[in-house]
């Protein structure tokens, strides 16, 4: 017999892979991406393509420069680029999108050690950096289908115009309002989110608790919770960014704490802040708290609780 | 016939993974292997004190003759598995790498049985325990816990439930299943013997639902038997690895949680492997000690996967040779199942009492995916039947943070392998857990 391979058990593997998970996230984002292209035209398609290309190139180049193993194959850069694109208004100049994706991958992800080591969700930081740097361009939202009319009509998002009360619930649910490309259509995002939950890629805890807390807080503060939930980046954030494995807690209780925190901060920013949008900042803040949450919350091992009770007797 | 003695699980097990079944040898009737030229018998095939050889080089031995024993209570004697001559007693490694004396017997091919073997005389409780001890029986499920110790739980612990483990949750292995099919009468007889010994009023035989035939046969013979009304019940458990782990099984069958660091007897249970109880029945009838073991031989490199009844001490390669050899160059030899078995660096290790499978993998199966960066998905936490956090353990291990490892309760890990099995980044998490346990100790 030839040389034998010796390795610790187990000797079989389930076949799960990072690539497969990332592929599932991409599949889940397809409805939102398709809707964004239908609503906002070829500009949207171009932005999505450019963001993904920039993210993947940044990933490849930074790994190359750092003389590390290439990681483009795990598709995580594609996910980051796609999520970032969906966070942008369709009118954003392409060069800004390129910068956003590069910042997300190079600064947030690779500077900290690559996949699994980033302290915050790269796409969120990309969006925030762009919002801070190019506020006017990043809030230049247009009406859906204005690309068909030929002239882009700039509009406020329902969020900024909440008090005008000009958008009805169904329009908001279907995304027939102004806003960033991927975040207007709640229906598409929910379809994607449910797919991820069914595929067991994400647990429903974070999206449900996050959206629930936000709605509850808005209600307490005297705002319209349904409008609040359907507007802005909340749905996109709750299903696709707050659930990012790397930057959210591992345990169930940790996830609940994280999601409640996200919900509270989002509501507070929306009600009292001067910013148009709170979802990205709230998630960033809770991303930063995640290591602390994970340190404090330890799952209760099987049988340990009982032992403590007995000891107390 | 309507099955009336079938129970539903009390609780769903925590965590666990859906491992592939690959029970290719389910319908392979056990083939008795003739004695090999030589058997290599290690003096410790159990948890506890090693035995000391009582034979010397040149001695003639017969099947069932005592060849090594210990005066410590926590031990199990070793018997000759073939008749012949002791040709060597020397230090050799077993599959774990542990060095110990081996008694090498050259077979004369006769398989002559030791004349002194007679059925044990059982008059009371102590006789029974002494007989079990003399039989050399250890837990045949894999751990190798001496059966005489298991059957004498501390007097202050009230035992009310006997659980018979026939989950066989490891992929490939069908040895216990074949025991059910071929020796179902022995099983029931053994169950009643042990039941009377422990004085329990209920017995639950736990079988995974991927073995419907075993469930049917056991239910039928249990229903036919009128010794004790309906004390013996069959329970159909979900086929979810590691259903057969002692603590998981007790939880599924009774809903009781064995406290961390405690034994099943602390929650009033005794768990025995199904092959162990069947052996007890046979031993009480014949007095023939544990000298052979039913083993599943399977894997992608094996030509004829089958179940073999092989003398203890037979080298793994001899068993595989007997089944018809390999169809390609094996790249991995596993002593045990694919989830918890040990990869052997040579196929010359012997079959021991705890061995229940020999798996030979070809190149493709031997190779595991290359580990990539942890994405903190938390699958390992969800999969862990003990509710531990392998991802955090791995992190704490990297920084050598012993206090944190203690807080994470690493010592509760039973190394079932669910974390590594399900890890999308294919990280060797069980390895980290094992290392962490060593560090905490």
């Amino acid at each position: 017999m030839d040389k034998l391979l010796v390795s610790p058990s187990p000797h079989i593997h389930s076949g799960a892979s990072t690539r497969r998970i990332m592929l599932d996230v991409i599949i889940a984002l397809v409805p939102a991406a398709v809707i964004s292209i239908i609503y906002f035209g070829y500009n949207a398609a171009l932005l999505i393509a450019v963001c993904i290309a920039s993210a993947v190139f940044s990933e490849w180049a930074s790994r190359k420069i750092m003389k590390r193993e290439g990681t483009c194959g795990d598709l995580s850069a594609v996910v980051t680029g796609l999520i970032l694109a969906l966070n942008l208004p369709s009118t954003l100049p392409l060069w800004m999108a390129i910068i956003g994706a590069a910042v997300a991958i190079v600064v947030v992800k690779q500077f900290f050690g690559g996949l699994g080591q980033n302290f915050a969700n790269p796409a969120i930081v990309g969006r925030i950096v762009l919002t801070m740097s190019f506020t006017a361009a990043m809030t230049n939202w247009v009406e859906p289908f204005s690309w068909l009319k030929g002239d882009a009509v700039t509009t406020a998002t329902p969020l900024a115009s909440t008090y005008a009360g000009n958008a009805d619930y169904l329009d908001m649910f279907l995304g027939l309002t102004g806003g960033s490309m991927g975040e207007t259509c709640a229906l598409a995002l929910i379809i994607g989110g449910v797919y991820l939950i069914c595929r067991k890629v994400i647990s429903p805890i974070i999206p449900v608790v996050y959206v629930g807390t936000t709605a509850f807080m808005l209600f307490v503060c005297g705002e319209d919770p349904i409008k609040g939930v359907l507007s802005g980046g909340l749905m996109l954030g709750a299903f696709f960014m707050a659930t990012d494995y790397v930057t959210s807690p591992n345990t169930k209780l940790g996830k609940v704490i994280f999601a409640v925190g996200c919900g509270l901060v989002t509501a507070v920013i929306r009600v009292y802040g001067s910013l148009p949008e709170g979802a990205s900042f709230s998630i960033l803040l809770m991303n930063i708290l995640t290591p602390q949450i994970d340190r404090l919350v330890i799952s209760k091992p099987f049988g340990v609780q009982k032992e403590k009770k007995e000891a107390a007797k | 016939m309507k099955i009336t003695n079938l129970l539903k699980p009390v609780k769903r097990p925590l965590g666990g993974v859906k491992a592939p079944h690959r029970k290719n040898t389910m319908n392979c009737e056990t083939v008795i292997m003739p004695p090999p030229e030589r058997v290599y018998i290690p003096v410790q095939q159990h948890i506890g004190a090693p035995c000391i050889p009582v034979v010397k080089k040149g001695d003639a031995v017969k099947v069932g003759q005592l060849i090594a024993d210990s005066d410590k209570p926590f031990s199990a004697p070793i018997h000759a598995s073939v008749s012949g001559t002791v040709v060597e007693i020397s230090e050799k490694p077993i599959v774990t790498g542990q060095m110990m004396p081996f008694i090498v017997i050259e077979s004369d091919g006769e398989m002559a049985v030791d004349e002194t073997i007679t059925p044990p005389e059982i008059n009371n409780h102590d006789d029974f325990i002494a007989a079990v001890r003399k039989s050399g029986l250890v837990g045949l499920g894999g751990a190798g816990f001496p059966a005489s110790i298991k059957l004498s739980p501390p007097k202050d612990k009230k035992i009310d439930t006997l659980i018979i483990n026939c989950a066989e949750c490891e992929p490939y292995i069908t040895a216990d299943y074949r025991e059910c099919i071929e020796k179902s009468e022995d099983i029931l007889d053994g169950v009643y013997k042990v039941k009377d010994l422990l004085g329990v009023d209920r017995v639950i035989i736990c079988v995974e639902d991927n073995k419907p035939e075993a469930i049917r046969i056991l239910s039928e013979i249990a229903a036919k038997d009128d010794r004790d009304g309906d004390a013996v019940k069959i329970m159909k458990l979900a086929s979810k690895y590691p259903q057969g782990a002692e603590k998981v099984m007790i939880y599924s069958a009774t809903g009781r949680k064995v406290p961390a660091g405690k034994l099943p007897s602390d929650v009033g249970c005794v768990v025995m492997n199904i092959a162990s109880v069947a052996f007890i029945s046979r031993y009480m009838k014949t007095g023939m000690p544990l000298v052979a073991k039913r083993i599943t031989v399977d894997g992608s490199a094996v030509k004829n996967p089958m179940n073999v009844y092989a003398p203890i001490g037979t080298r793994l390669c001899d068993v595989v040779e007997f089944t018809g050899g390999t169809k390609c160059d094996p790249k991995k030899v596993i002593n045990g199942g694919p989830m918890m078995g040990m990869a052997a660096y040579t196929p010359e290790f012997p079959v021991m009492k705890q061995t229940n499978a020999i798996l030979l993998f070809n190149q493709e199966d031997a190779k595991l995916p290359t580990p990539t960066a942890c994405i903190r998905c938390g699958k390992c936490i969800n999969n862990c039947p003990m509710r531990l956090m392998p991802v955090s353990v791995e992190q704490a291990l990297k920084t050598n943070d012993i206090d944190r490892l203690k807080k994470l309760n690493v010592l509760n890990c039973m190394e079932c392998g669910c974390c590594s099995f399900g890890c999308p980044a294919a990280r060797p998490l069980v390895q980290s857990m094992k290392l962490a346990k060593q560090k905490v100790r």
Side-chain angles (χ1 to χ4, degrees), chain B residues 300-312:
Chain B
S300 47
V302 172
K303 200 183 273 171
N304 308 315
M306 61 163 83
N307 283 294
V308 176
Y309 199 64
I312 283 163

Side-chain angles (χ1 to χ4, degrees), chain B residues 50 64 117 134 145 158 166 169 206 232 264 276 308 313 321 412:
Chain B
I117 286 177
K134 242 184 107 188
F145 194 89
K158 172 89 184 81
C166 185
C169 55
C206 294
V232 179
S276 302
V308 176
E321 207 50 52
N412 284 16

Side-chain angles (χ1 to χ4, degrees), chain B residues 95-349:
Chain B
V95 69
T96 57
Q98 196 188 344
M99 296 293 287
M100 62 177 65
F102 271 56
I103 299 167
V104 184
I105 303 170
E106 192 164 82
S107 167
D108 55 12
E110 302 282 318
M111 288 301 265
V113 176
D114 185 6
E115 300 82 11
T116 60
I117 286 177
T118 47
E121 205 174 301
I122 312 287
N123 295 320
N124 54 39
H125 183 272
D126 290 347
D127 283 355
F128 194 104
I129 301 290
V132 170
R133 158 84 194 219
K134 242 184 107 188
S135 74
L137 179 65
V138 302
L140 298 178
F145 194 89
S148 56
I149 305 290
K150 188 172 259 185
L151 290 177
S152 31
K155 288 274 181 300
D156 55 327
K157 302 276 191 318
K158 172 89 184 81
I159 305 295
D160 60 6
T161 306
L162 169 64
I163 296 175
I164 305 298
N165 189 342
C166 185
E168 205 155 53
C169 55
E170 280 256 15
Y172 292 100
I173 309 180
T174 58
D176 285 351
Y177 173 74
R178 290 313 303 178
E179 186 84 38
C180 291
I181 303 295
E182 295 165 22
K183 307 277 180 188
S184 43
E185 298 296 331
D186 287 349
I187 290 171
L188 201 68
D189 187 51
V191 163
Y192 277 109
K193 284 202 161 73
V194 176
K195 175 180 171 291
D196 293 344
L197 175 82
L198 293 170
V200 296
D201 36 48
R202 67 168 172 170
V203 182
I204 307 172
I205 303 180
C206 294
V207 192
E208 273 193 356
D209 57 12
N210 62 355
K211 293 176 266 293
E213 187 62 13
I215 294 172
R216 190 186 63 79
I217 289 184
L218 291 172
S219 307
E220 273 181 22
I221 57 162
K224 250 185 267 166
D225 201 288
D226 51 1
R227 251 175 284 191
D228 204 357
D230 55 355
V232 179
K233 296 270 193 336
I234 318 296
M235 186 179 280
K236 189 161 112 179
L237 298 178
S239 302
K240 195 176 187 195
Y241 180 85
Q243 188 66 267
E246 203 165 54
K247 288 183 177 183
V248 176
M249 178 159 280
I250 293 173
Y251 185 65
S252 298
T254 66
R256 299 176 193 169
K257 286 183 176 182
V258 180
K262 295 286 177 73
L263 292 171
S265 59
D266 290 292
V267 291
C269 295
V270 166
V271 183
M272 287 203 83
N273 177 269
I274 197 144
S276 302
V277 288
F279 170 80
I280 288 178
S281 158
R282 284 196 289 277
Y283 180 74
M284 296 305 170
K285 278 180 219 151
T286 63
M288 175 55 84
L290 185 61
V291 291
K293 184 75 201 282
R294 182 183 281 102
I295 297 159
T296 301
V297 182
D298 200 351
S300 47
V302 172
K303 200 183 273 171
N304 308 315
M306 61 163 83
N307 283 294
V308 176
Y309 199 64
I312 283 163
T314 312
R315 293 181 308 172
L316 305 183
C317 51
D318 292 336
V319 178
V320 174
E321 207 50 52
F322 168 71
T323 66
T326 55
K327 61 182 174 197
C328 64
D329 228 6
K331 286 291 168 207
K332 201 180 232 178
V333 173
I334 303 163
N335 182 336
M339 293 299 284
M340 286 188 80
M342 300 278 293
Y345 63 83
T346 155
E348 292 179 359
F349 288 115

Side-chain angles (χ1 to χ4, degrees), chain A residues 2 4-5 7-11 13-14 17-18 115-116 245-246 248 250-251 294-295 299-304 307, chain B residues 14 259-260 329-332 338-339 341 366 373-377 381 386-387 389 404 409 412 420-424 431:
Chain A
D2 218 25
L4 293 174
L5 195 72
S7 66
S9 59
H11 306 287
H13 190 261
S14 61
S17 69
T18 305
L115 183 66
Y245 292 147
V246 180
S248 65
N250 289 135
T251 52
D294 259 347
R295 225 178 147 76
S299 64
K300 201 160 276 160
F302 184 84
V304 163
E307 191 182 42
Chain B
L14 304 167
D329 228 6
K331 286 291 168 207
K332 201 180 232 178
M339 293 299 284
C374 170
I375 53 170
R376 295 176 26 90
C377 63
I381 300 174
M386 291 288 117
R387 279 276 176 275
M389 301 171 72
R404 173 100 175 132
N409 294 292
N412 284 16
S420 295
F421 176 81
C423 180
Q431 216 174 347

